[in-house]
C-alpha cells in the first residue's frame, strides 16, 4: 500500500473506489501530475470515474494537507503527494520533467533580516531549473 493510502486510512478518510483510484494514481516518488493527467490515469483503472470527481477529490486531498498543489509554469496546477517531507523542485526547462530535491541547509536562512521587511517568514518555495540528462544530450 502506498504512503498516501496509508496516511488517508490512518485519518479515517472514507475510501470509495473513486477516491482510492485517485490516491493510487498519486502514489509514488516524484509524482507531479496535473488534474487532467490524474483523470486520464484514473480512467485507465476505473473507466466510469468523472472528471469532477477527480477534481473534487484532489481538492479534498489538498485541504487535508495530504497533497500539495503547486505550479512550475504559472499555469497548470500540479499535485504532489510528498506533502509531509520538506523538499523543493527541480524542473527541466526542455521537457518539463519535475523531480523532488532536498537541498542541504534551510532556504529561510539565506534570506537576510533586512530583506524580510519585517515579515515573519514561514516557508520558502524554491524551484531549481535546468536541463535533464536527456535534454542536455539532445
Amino acid at each position: 500500500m502506498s504512503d498516501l493510502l496509508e496516511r488517508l486510512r490512518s485519518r479515517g478518510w472514507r475510501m470509495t473506489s473513486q477516491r482510492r483510484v485517485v490516491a493510487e494514481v498519486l502514489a509514488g516518488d516524484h509524482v507531479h501530475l496535473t488534474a487532467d493527467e490524474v483523470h486520464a490515469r484514473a480512467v485507465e483503472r476505473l473507466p466510469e470515474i468523472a472528471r469532477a470527481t477527480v477534481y473534487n477529490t484532489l481538492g479534498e486531498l489538498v485541504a487535508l494537507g495530504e497533497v500539495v498543489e503547486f505550479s512550475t509554469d504559472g499555469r497548470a496546477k500540479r499535485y504532489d503527494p510528498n506533502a509531509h517531507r520538506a523538499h523543493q523542485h527541480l524542473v527541466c526547462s526542455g521537457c518539463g520533467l519535475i523531480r523532488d530535491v532536498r537541498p542541504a541547509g534551510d532556504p529561510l536562512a539565506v534570506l537576510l533580516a533586512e530583506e524580510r521587511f519585517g515579515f515573519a517568514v514561514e516557508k520558502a518555495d524554491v524551484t531549481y531549473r535546468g536541463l535533464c540528462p536527456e535534454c542536455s544530450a539532445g
Side-chain angles (χ1 to χ4, degrees):
M1 185 183 322
S2 77
D3 184 46
L4 177 59
L5 282 170
E6 287 177 25
R7 292 191 324 251
L8 292 170
R9 283 183 190 233
S10 71
R11 293 182 73 139
W13 196 55
R14 194 170 62 93
M15 194 65 68
T16 64
S17 58
Q18 294 89 351
R19 286 175 163 187
R20 180 180 184 76
V21 165
V22 171
E24 287 173 350
V25 166
L26 289 171
D29 293 327
H30 308 287
V31 175
H32 308 97
L33 301 173
T34 65
D36 287 339
E37 290 169 335
V38 172
H39 179 253
R41 291 182 185 190
V43 165
E44 291 174 4
R45 296 170 184 228
L46 189 66
E48 66 273 13
I49 193 167
R51 184 179 306 275
T53 301
V54 170
Y55 276 80
N56 291 337
T57 302
L58 289 170
E60 289 177 35
L61 293 172
V62 170
L64 286 171
E66 295 296 341
V67 171
V68 176
E69 182 182 75
F70 73 100
S71 175
T72 61
D73 61 5
R75 297 181 317 209
K77 292 179 182 173
R78 296 190 171 272
Y79 297 88
D80 184 350
N82 193 0
H84 297 283
R85 288 181 228 123
H87 67 282
Q88 306 301 328
H89 294 110
L90 176 63
V91 180
C92 178
S93 303
C95 67
L97 175 72
I98 304 169
R99 304 298 272 175
D100 291 344
V101 294
R102 291 170 187 80
D106 179 5
L108 292 177
V110 181
L111 187 61
L112 302 173
E114 58 268 15
E115 290 294 321
R116 293 178 187 223
F117 299 99
F119 279 62
V121 181
E122 298 168 352
K123 87 179 213 182
D125 295 316
V126 177
T127 302
Y128 298 93
R129 298 184 188 279
L131 292 175
C132 70
E134 289 79 18
C135 289
S136 291

